Amino acid sequence: MGVSFRPRSAFVLALVLGLVVGCSEIGIPVDTPAAPSGIRGIVLLGPTCATGESPGAYDPVPCVTPYVANLIILDSESAVVKRVTSAGDGRFSADLEPGEYVVTPATGPDTYPIAQPVSVTVLPGIYADVEINYDTGIR
């Protein structure tokens, strides 16, 4: 029992391929997967050492370290679209459709550390970079 070649099947296949190629060449949109987009970033905690108040008593570069944090991503209507947790190195990413978002640090029972929400615009085919800074309250 063998596979037989059907000229009509070959004609239909050639016609479909010709339409797809022809449409894309003359500017008619052909369904193609969109390039991925979203948000990627790093979460930092600082200062992690006392900065002092007298000149020369401390290093002027603040002490910061990567931080594991829970983040909530809201859309332009303040609806939760994704929850992410940064890794041990502070990095995180979230695949998202193009649009306006707010990365909101999840709050815990303690006053510190604390971070402010960050607004982000995601463009088609691009990952927007963001830095979330948690304040320890150390001075």
Side-chain angles (χ1 to χ4, degrees), residues 27-118:
I28 297 174
V30 176
D31 287 337
T32 57
S37 61
I39 298 172
R40 64 179 171 209
I42 189 164
V43 180
L44 299 173
L45 176 70
T48 56
C49 58
T51 57
E53 292 188 17
S54 60
Y58 63 90
D59 184 352
V61 178
C63 306
V64 295
T65 188
Y67 187 58
V68 175
N70 295 315
L71 306 169
I72 302 166
I73 301 174
L74 308 172
D75 65 12
S76 60
E77 297 176 3
S78 297
V80 174
V81 293
K82 199 161 275 204
R83 294 175 188 271
V84 296
T85 301
S86 58
D89 65 356
R91 300 199 180 279
F92 71 93
S93 68
D95 296 336
L96 298 165
E97 296 294 321
E100 299 294 323
Y101 298 93
V102 176
V103 180
T104 305
T107 57
D110 299 325
T111 306
Y112 285 97
I114 189 169
Q116 297 301 311
V118 176

